[in-house]
Amino acid sequence: MTKSELIARLAELNPHLYQRDVERIVTTIFDEIATALSRGDRVELRGFGAFSVKRRDARLGRNPRTGQSVDVSEKAVPFFKTGKLLRERLNTGK
Amino acid sequence: MAERTITRAELSEAVYQEVGLSRNESADLLELVLSEISTALAQGEPVKISSFGSFSVRSKGQRLGRNPKTGEEVPILPRKVMVFRPSQLLKNRINDGLSKTAQGRKTTT
């Protein structure tokens, strides 16, 4: 399912809403999550999962082709931990 | 700046502010978004949200685990797990944001 398929599905379930508004709802939700993470905040959605940011220290990496060492600077990576309910649903298929 | 935890309340408030539906309906729509994504994943279908990232389901085979308390070997049954792959855009946003807050911290301390 893509973002546009998700929007189409939500619009189908909510015929009283404009497609434009459904699009804004979906965009706002993901944008809000991204903004929170870029502030370093966590986003916890019970039953679904939690987004957080993990920090990776600077390290000395290697170019696998040439074997030359390269500096990899400190960085932050987004991380998602699946919620209990969703984890169960994945395994029951319901 | 202390690290905060954002929940459904803040997300549905943002939808309310941005779209102008009632607070109740904003909360319902957020719930529907999460449940539609969950249903697709439960059926094994990957979900791709452009400029944010993608969620997919991976099957894991059986392996032998160990009870850390008793040292007893126990089989871990085959199961499905979900993986989130953030988009390059999201990774960039997070790194840009954090380097700014890190600088902010330096000047205030």
Side-chain angles (χ1 to χ4, degrees):
Chain A
M1 183 166 72
T2 61
K3 182 175 167 186
S4 47
E5 284 164 356
L6 172 64
I7 291 166
R9 170 92 180 125
L10 297 169
E12 189 189 306
L13 294 170
N14 292 275
H16 64 292
L17 295 179
Y18 290 112
Q19 168 101 9
R20 192 189 60 214
D21 285 341
V22 178
E23 270 176 45
R24 281 175 70 198
I25 292 165
V26 175
T27 304
T28 301
I29 292 170
F30 288 103
D31 195 58
E32 202 60 24
I33 297 174
T35 305
L37 293 174
S38 69
R39 282 192 307 255
D41 289 344
R42 262 168 59 79
V43 179
E44 185 179 306
L45 302 164
R46 289 280 164 98
F48 185 76
F51 296 91
S52 59
V53 177
K54 293 198 168 180
R55 281 159 200 268
R56 300 267 181 264
D57 283 339
R59 62 186 171 89
L60 207 57
R62 245 174 224 288
N63 181 329
R65 195 177 296 206
T66 64
Q68 211 173 12
S69 43
V70 276
D71 279 327
V72 180
S73 51
E74 178 190 27
K75 64 179 174 186
V77 291
F79 178 78
F80 179 77
K81 184 170 188 242
T82 313
K84 216 184 225 174
L85 193 73
L86 181 54
R87 214 185 314 138
E88 281 163 11
R89 285 187 67 187
L90 294 176
N91 287 290
T92 53
K94 280 177 227 155
Chain B
M1 191 175 65
E3 187 184 308
R4 290 199 310 143
T5 297
I6 306 301
T7 62
R8 279 177 172 76
E10 287 88 345
L11 294 188
S12 74
E13 178 66 21
V15 170
Y16 167 74
Q17 300 280 347
E18 193 65 33
V19 188
L21 306 175
S22 72
R23 278 207 163 83
N24 256 330
E25 202 169 14
S26 302
D28 288 349
L29 260 303
L30 170 63
E31 216 45 60
L32 190 61
V33 167
L34 298 178
S35 85
E36 285 298 319
I37 294 175
S38 303
T39 301
L41 291 165
Q43 290 164 354
E45 193 192 344
V47 177
K48 289 181 190 161
I49 306 293
S50 67
S51 83
F52 186 79
S54 64
F55 301 93
S56 52
V57 183
R58 230 172 34 198
S59 297
K60 292 212 160 193
Q62 178 171 340
R63 65 189 169 91
L64 222 50
R66 208 177 268 278
N67 182 329
K69 203 174 271 182
T70 62
E72 193 186 356
E73 281 191 344
V74 276
I76 296 175
L77 298 176
R79 64 201 196 284
K80 287 176 180 159
V81 294
M82 187 173 124
V83 273
F84 171 63
R85 285 205 59 207
S87 73
Q88 193 57 48
L89 202 86
L90 180 63
K91 290 194 226 171
N92 291 344
R93 264 187 85 173
I94 287 172
N95 276 293
D96 293 350
L98 288 191
S99 58
K100 262 175 228 147
T101 52
Q103 270 163 15
R105 247 176 237 146
K106 262 175 218 151
T107 50
T108 50
T109 45

